[in-house]
Tab-separated table of all heavy atoms in Angstrom:
chain	number	residue	atom	x	y	z
A	928	PHE	N	-1.295	-2.188	-11.486
A	928	PHE	CA	-1.615	-2.308	-12.854
A	928	PHE	C	-1.283	-3.585	-13.521
A	928	PHE	O	-1.301	-3.728	-14.787
A	928	PHE	CB	-0.954	-1.184	-13.653
A	928	PHE	CG	-1.372	0.235	-13.185
A	928	PHE	CD1	-0.351	1.052	-12.635
A	928	PHE	CD2	-2.731	0.668	-13.176
A	928	PHE	CE1	-0.911	2.314	-12.147
A	928	PHE	CE2	-3.138	1.853	-12.773
A	928	PHE	CZ	-2.114	2.708	-12.170
A	929	ASN	N	-0.716	-4.642	-12.799
A	929	ASN	CA	-0.464	-5.807	-13.438
A	929	ASN	C	-1.679	-6.378	-14.124
A	929	ASN	O	-2.730	-6.327	-13.489
A	929	ASN	CB	0.436	-6.830	-12.583
A	929	ASN	CG	-0.488	-7.653	-11.766
A	929	ASN	OD1	-1.207	-8.595	-12.250
A	929	ASN	ND2	-0.681	-7.266	-10.421
A	930	ALA	N	-1.373	-7.125	-15.214
A	930	ALA	CA	-2.641	-7.634	-15.986
A	930	ALA	C	-3.323	-8.918	-15.374
A	930	ALA	O	-4.581	-9.028	-15.732
A	930	ALA	CB	-2.219	-7.929	-17.366
A	931	GLU	N	-2.754	-9.527	-14.476
A	931	GLU	CA	-3.448	-10.657	-13.803
A	931	GLU	C	-4.389	-10.310	-12.730
A	931	GLU	O	-5.592	-10.522	-12.855
A	931	GLU	CB	-2.371	-11.573	-13.114
A	931	GLU	CG	-1.439	-12.236	-14.158
A	931	GLU	CD	-0.286	-12.824	-13.436
A	931	GLU	OE1	-0.070	-12.786	-12.191
A	931	GLU	OE2	0.621	-13.434	-14.289
A	932	ASP	N	-3.949	-9.608	-11.720
A	932	ASP	CA	-4.878	-9.277	-10.566
A	932	ASP	C	-4.455	-7.915	-10.071
A	932	ASP	O	-4.563	-7.528	-8.817
A	932	ASP	CB	-4.728	-10.404	-9.483
A	932	ASP	CG	-3.377	-10.516	-8.910
A	932	ASP	OD1	-2.416	-9.855	-9.454
A	932	ASP	OD2	-3.177	-11.216	-7.907
A	933	GLY	N	-4.228	-6.983	-10.929
A	933	GLY	CA	-3.884	-5.606	-10.529
A	933	GLY	C	-5.085	-4.975	-9.964
A	933	GLY	O	-6.254	-5.248	-10.218
A	934	ILE	N	-4.780	-4.025	-8.848
A	934	ILE	CA	-5.882	-3.450	-8.179
A	934	ILE	C	-6.883	-2.612	-9.067
A	934	ILE	O	-8.041	-2.757	-8.999
A	934	ILE	CB	-5.283	-2.409	-7.096
A	934	ILE	CG1	-4.579	-3.133	-6.064
A	934	ILE	CG2	-6.399	-1.472	-6.516
A	934	ILE	CD1	-3.730	-2.291	-5.108
A	935	ALA	N	-6.236	-1.871	-10.071
A	935	ALA	CA	-7.223	-1.095	-11.008
A	935	ALA	C	-8.167	-2.011	-11.683
A	935	ALA	O	-9.359	-1.701	-11.907
A	935	ALA	CB	-6.254	-0.282	-11.916
A	936	GLY	N	-7.585	-3.268	-12.237
A	936	GLY	CA	-8.587	-4.217	-12.845
A	936	GLY	C	-9.578	-4.802	-12.015
A	936	GLY	O	-10.686	-4.946	-12.436
A	937	LEU	N	-9.140	-4.991	-10.749
A	937	LEU	CA	-10.083	-5.602	-9.787
A	937	LEU	C	-11.251	-4.739	-9.544
A	937	LEU	O	-12.515	-4.980	-9.464
A	937	LEU	CB	-9.545	-6.058	-8.407
A	937	LEU	CG	-8.470	-7.137	-8.443
A	937	LEU	CD1	-7.573	-7.230	-7.230
A	937	LEU	CD2	-9.183	-8.434	-8.702
A	938	LEU	N	-10.818	-3.416	-9.322
A	938	LEU	CA	-11.884	-2.267	-9.123
A	938	LEU	C	-12.799	-2.172	-10.318
A	938	LEU	O	-14.019	-2.079	-10.134
A	938	LEU	CB	-11.321	-0.976	-8.678
A	938	LEU	CG	-10.476	-0.999	-7.447
A	938	LEU	CD1	-9.574	0.324	-7.389
A	938	LEU	CD2	-11.375	-1.023	-6.322
A	939	ASP	N	-12.266	-2.161	-11.478
A	939	ASP	CA	-13.103	-2.102	-12.689
A	939	ASP	C	-14.137	-3.282	-12.828
A	939	ASP	O	-15.163	-3.158	-13.388
A	939	ASP	CB	-12.165	-2.159	-13.997
A	939	ASP	CG	-11.452	-0.921	-14.199
A	939	ASP	OD1	-11.935	0.136	-13.684
A	939	ASP	OD2	-10.527	-0.928	-15.016
A	940	ARG	N	-13.694	-4.432	-12.237
A	940	ARG	CA	-14.566	-5.550	-12.253
A	940	ARG	C	-15.523	-5.622	-11.094
A	940	ARG	O	-16.150	-6.573	-10.792
A	940	ARG	CB	-13.771	-6.942	-12.300
A	940	ARG	CG	-12.969	-6.986	-13.766
A	940	ARG	CD	-12.467	-8.465	-13.926
A	940	ARG	NE	-11.369	-8.801	-13.127
A	940	ARG	CZ	-10.000	-8.484	-13.302
A	940	ARG	NH1	-9.637	-7.617	-14.204
A	940	ARG	NH2	-9.129	-8.857	-12.499
A	941	GLY	N	-15.680	-4.561	-10.326
A	941	GLY	CA	-16.699	-4.334	-9.320
A	941	GLY	C	-16.199	-4.881	-7.902
A	941	GLY	O	-17.116	-4.981	-6.975
A	942	ARG	N	-14.919	-5.140	-7.760
A	942	ARG	CA	-14.433	-5.534	-6.343
A	942	ARG	C	-14.340	-4.416	-5.477
A	942	ARG	O	-13.850	-3.246	-5.905
A	942	ARG	CB	-13.066	-6.324	-6.489
A	942	ARG	CG	-13.244	-7.599	-7.308
A	942	ARG	CD	-14.333	-8.508	-6.787
A	942	ARG	NE	-14.242	-9.832	-7.470
A	942	ARG	CZ	-13.645	-10.802	-6.929
A	942	ARG	NH1	-13.117	-10.854	-5.758
A	942	ARG	NH2	-13.754	-12.059	-7.514
A	943	VAL	N	-14.312	-4.644	-4.265
A	943	VAL	CA	-13.828	-3.702	-3.168
A	943	VAL	C	-12.509	-4.158	-2.821
A	943	VAL	O	-12.283	-5.345	-2.625
A	943	VAL	CB	-14.636	-3.657	-1.967
A	943	VAL	CG1	-14.154	-2.916	-0.752
A	943	VAL	CG2	-16.111	-3.239	-2.295
A	944	VAL	N	-11.482	-3.155	-2.849
A	944	VAL	CA	-10.036	-3.631	-2.549
A	944	VAL	C	-9.554	-2.982	-1.244
A	944	VAL	O	-9.690	-1.800	-1.206
A	944	VAL	CB	-9.098	-3.372	-3.726
A	944	VAL	CG1	-7.706	-3.743	-3.343
A	944	VAL	CG2	-9.636	-4.043	-4.884
A	945	ILE	N	-9.008	-3.836	-0.400
A	945	ILE	CA	-8.383	-3.266	0.767
A	945	ILE	C	-6.918	-3.402	0.840
A	945	ILE	O	-6.625	-4.667	0.692
A	945	ILE	CB	-9.017	-3.854	2.078
A	945	ILE	CG1	-10.557	-3.693	2.178
A	945	ILE	CG2	-8.448	-3.359	3.382
A	945	ILE	CD1	-11.295	-4.395	3.282
A	946	SER	N	-6.143	-2.395	0.906
A	946	SER	CA	-4.639	-2.807	0.945
A	946	SER	C	-3.957	-2.349	2.307
A	946	SER	O	-4.280	-1.262	2.764
A	946	SER	CB	-3.925	-1.910	-0.195
A	946	SER	OG	-2.592	-2.264	-0.216
A	947	ASP	N	-3.362	-3.331	2.849
A	947	ASP	CA	-2.484	-3.123	4.009
A	947	ASP	C	-1.200	-2.381	3.444
A	947	ASP	O	-0.325	-3.127	3.067
A	947	ASP	CB	-2.228	-4.403	4.593
A	947	ASP	CG	-1.403	-4.417	5.934
A	947	ASP	OD1	-0.875	-3.379	6.369
A	947	ASP	OD2	-1.434	-5.508	6.558
A	948	ARG	N	-1.189	-1.092	3.534
A	948	ARG	CA	-0.162	-0.133	3.171
A	948	ARG	C	-0.324	0.201	1.696
A	948	ARG	O	-0.751	-0.580	0.815
A	948	ARG	CB	1.262	-0.624	3.312
A	948	ARG	CG	1.684	-0.902	4.874
A	948	ARG	CD	3.195	-1.071	4.815
A	948	ARG	NE	3.630	-1.335	6.211
A	948	ARG	CZ	3.823	-0.463	7.130
A	948	ARG	NH1	3.487	0.834	6.996
A	948	ARG	NH2	4.209	-0.934	8.409
A	949	TYR	N	0.164	1.502	1.388
A	949	TYR	CA	0.212	2.079	-0.008
A	949	TYR	C	1.267	3.148	-0.054
A	949	TYR	O	2.091	3.176	0.876
A	949	TYR	CB	-1.237	2.611	-0.243
A	949	TYR	CG	-1.469	2.892	-1.699
A	949	TYR	CD1	-1.229	2.008	-2.709
A	949	TYR	CD2	-2.232	4.161	-1.937
A	949	TYR	CE1	-1.455	2.418	-3.918
A	949	TYR	CE2	-2.527	4.451	-3.324
A	949	TYR	CZ	-2.203	3.622	-4.313
A	949	TYR	OH	-2.454	3.949	-5.634
A	950	PHE	N	1.192	4.146	-0.934
A	950	PHE	CA	2.278	5.010	-1.085
A	950	PHE	C	2.517	6.004	0.065
A	950	PHE	O	3.570	6.519	0.195
A	950	PHE	CB	2.274	5.713	-2.438
A	950	PHE	CG	1.233	6.769	-2.632
A	950	PHE	CD1	1.254	8.160	-1.967
A	950	PHE	CD2	0.111	6.582	-3.432
A	950	PHE	CE1	0.370	9.074	-2.150
A	950	PHE	CE2	-0.785	7.626	-3.500
A	950	PHE	CZ	-0.729	8.904	-2.989
A	951	TYR	N	1.613	6.055	1.020
A	951	TYR	CA	1.701	6.992	2.100
A	951	TYR	C	2.810	6.347	2.876
A	951	TYR	O	3.535	7.053	3.720
A	951	TYR	CB	0.566	7.155	2.869
A	951	TYR	CG	-0.741	7.443	2.129
A	951	TYR	CD1	-1.744	6.577	1.770
A	951	TYR	CD2	-0.807	8.751	1.502
A	951	TYR	CE1	-2.821	6.802	0.899
A	951	TYR	CE2	-1.770	9.097	0.704
A	951	TYR	CZ	-2.772	8.144	0.321
A	951	TYR	OH	-3.861	8.475	-0.448
A	952	SER	N	3.092	4.986	2.912
A	952	SER	CA	4.177	4.398	3.738
A	952	SER	C	5.388	4.820	3.152
A	952	SER	O	6.430	4.941	3.749
A	952	SER	CB	4.091	2.837	3.548
A	952	SER	OG	3.139	2.453	4.645
A	953	SER	N	5.444	4.921	1.688
A	953	SER	CA	6.822	5.353	1.033
A	953	SER	C	7.185	6.611	1.445
A	953	SER	O	8.265	7.009	1.821
A	953	SER	CB	6.574	5.209	-0.485
A	953	SER	OG	6.810	3.929	-0.849
A	954	LEU	N	6.148	7.584	1.480
A	954	LEU	CA	6.410	8.993	1.844
A	954	LEU	C	6.808	9.131	3.280
A	954	LEU	O	7.773	9.912	3.649
A	954	LEU	CB	5.250	9.898	1.539
A	954	LEU	CG	4.477	9.854	0.241
A	954	LEU	CD1	3.316	10.775	0.136
A	954	LEU	CD2	5.606	10.287	-0.934
A	955	SER	N	6.381	8.374	4.213
A	955	SER	CA	6.528	8.412	5.599
A	955	SER	C	7.932	7.707	6.021
A	955	SER	O	8.621	8.074	6.742
A	955	SER	CB	5.401	7.956	6.424
A	955	SER	OG	4.234	8.677	6.018
A	956	TYR	N	8.058	6.468	5.533
A	956	TYR	CA	9.224	5.555	5.815
A	956	TYR	C	10.546	6.081	5.079
A	956	TYR	O	11.491	6.472	5.624
A	956	TYR	CB	8.975	4.128	5.569
A	956	TYR	CG	8.283	3.405	6.629
A	956	TYR	CD1	6.842	3.463	6.754
A	956	TYR	CD2	8.963	2.557	7.584
A	956	TYR	CE1	6.113	2.755	7.727
A	956	TYR	CE2	8.186	1.905	8.549
A	956	TYR	CZ	6.913	1.902	8.521
A	956	TYR	OH	6.101	1.320	9.649
A	957	GLN	N	10.367	6.129	3.743
A	957	GLN	CA	11.445	6.525	2.970
A	957	GLN	C	11.656	8.064	3.073
A	957	GLN	O	12.851	8.497	2.889
A	957	GLN	CB	11.301	6.204	1.441
A	957	GLN	CG	11.525	4.699	1.129
A	957	GLN	CD	10.648	3.801	1.817
A	957	GLN	OE1	9.403	3.780	1.635
A	957	GLN	NE2	11.299	2.900	2.619
A	958	GLY	N	10.686	8.824	3.585
A	958	GLY	CA	10.817	10.219	3.880
A	958	GLY	C	11.848	10.520	5.052
A	958	GLY	O	12.120	11.757	5.065
A	959	VAL	N	12.108	9.604	5.760
A	959	VAL	CA	13.155	9.803	6.829
A	959	VAL	C	14.502	10.103	6.231
A	959	VAL	O	15.323	10.827	6.742
A	959	VAL	CB	13.183	8.509	7.735
A	959	VAL	CG1	14.356	8.713	8.723
A	959	VAL	CG2	11.811	8.372	8.425
A	960	THR	N	14.835	9.459	5.092
A	960	THR	CA	16.158	9.473	4.425
A	960	THR	C	16.119	10.099	3.117
A	960	THR	O	17.116	10.703	2.594
A	960	THR	CB	16.841	8.160	4.363
A	960	THR	OG1	15.881	7.366	3.592
A	960	THR	CG2	17.139	7.436	5.658
A	961	GLU	N	14.986	10.189	2.426
A	961	GLU	CA	15.008	10.679	0.961
A	961	GLU	C	14.171	11.898	0.927
A	961	GLU	O	13.302	12.152	1.687
A	961	GLU	CB	14.405	9.697	0.087
A	961	GLU	CG	15.177	8.213	0.166
A	961	GLU	CD	16.665	8.427	-0.233
A	961	GLU	OE1	16.946	9.158	-1.110
A	961	GLU	OE2	17.512	7.841	0.522
A	962	ASP	N	14.444	12.728	-0.088
A	962	ASP	CA	13.776	13.969	-0.374
A	962	ASP	C	12.294	13.753	-0.734
A	962	ASP	O	11.817	12.941	-1.560
A	962	ASP	CB	14.354	14.649	-1.565
A	962	ASP	CG	13.797	16.029	-1.911
A	962	ASP	OD1	13.833	16.892	-1.185
A	962	ASP	OD2	13.263	16.005	-3.075
A	963	MET	N	11.469	14.527	-0.129
A	963	MET	CA	9.995	14.396	-0.197
A	963	MET	C	9.456	14.541	-1.552
A	963	MET	O	8.601	14.010	-2.003
A	963	MET	CB	9.231	15.218	0.948
A	963	MET	CG	7.860	14.757	1.185
A	963	MET	SD	7.434	13.110	1.585
A	963	MET	CE	7.884	13.153	3.306
A	964	SER	N	9.965	15.593	-2.237
A	964	SER	CA	9.264	15.898	-3.544
A	964	SER	C	9.779	14.775	-4.674
A	964	SER	O	9.020	14.383	-5.446
A	964	SER	CB	9.733	17.288	-4.021
A	964	SER	OG	11.104	17.450	-4.052
Side-chain angles (χ1 to χ4, degrees):
F928 301 119
N929 86 73
E931 291 164 6
D932 62 354
I934 292 170
L937 292 170
L938 294 169
D939 282 346
R940 295 195 289 281
R942 299 303 189 98
V943 171
V944 179
I945 301 177
S946 184
D947 182 345
R948 297 195 185 279
Y949 192 48
F950 70 78
Y951 313 105
S952 278
S953 281
L954 301 180
S955 303
Y956 278 79
Q957 282 59 63
V959 173
T960 52
E961 301 305 314
D962 177 68
M963 192 56 78
S964 52

